[in-house]
Amino acid sequence: VYRFVLLTKNYGGGEAAALRDVVAGFSRLSEAEAAKLEPLRIDIVEVRPGDTIDGLSARMQVDRLPREQFETLNGLDRGRTLEAGDLVKILVRRR
């Protein structure tokens, strides 16, 4: 079961149609499509001396905004630094 909440500031006109299009765009994957997927997994890594948020987030195998996703995934406030020995999560693609 999937539950999506689609929100818009002004529901009417083009917004309603756009939200319906989003819902209509979902379909079951074929076995061939599913076999090609490489899901993201969470790896837990220990921060080493000299590691930075930028360096660790560069290891994230995401399509966009790796630093922002790293900070969110690890509950980090902007401006926070990492300390050696901290455990952090990174997203990687692995079968």
Side-chain angles (χ1 to χ4, degrees):
V1 173
Y2 296 95
R3 180 178 180 195
F4 295 93
V5 177
L6 305 172
L7 303 172
T8 181
K9 187 174 183 178
N10 300 312
Y11 187 79
E15 291 87 359
L19 294 177
R20 282 194 298 275
D21 288 347
V22 168
V23 173
F26 285 91
S27 62
R28 182 175 294 275
L29 293 177
S30 69
E31 287 186 32
E33 290 169 320
K36 291 180 187 177
L37 292 178
E38 293 183 67
L40 287 171
R41 305 284 186 201
I42 296 175
D43 269 355
I44 298 175
V45 298
E46 185 174 343
V47 176
R48 296 184 203 156
D51 280 344
T52 64
I53 291 174
D54 284 330
L56 288 167
S57 63
R59 293 171 51 187
M60 301 258 289
Q61 296 175 342
V62 296
D63 295 331
R64 57 192 194 106
L65 303 173
R67 181 185 175 100
E68 291 81 354
Q69 290 191 57
F70 178 85
E71 290 173 331
T72 300
L73 183 64
N74 289 287
L76 301 177
D77 295 326
R78 290 200 180 271
R80 180 165 183 286
T81 58
L82 300 174
E83 296 182 22
D86 286 347
L87 296 178
V88 294
K89 297 169 272 205
I90 61 171
L91 297 174
V92 296
R93 293 196 187 280
R94 184 175 61 233
R95 287 200 167 276

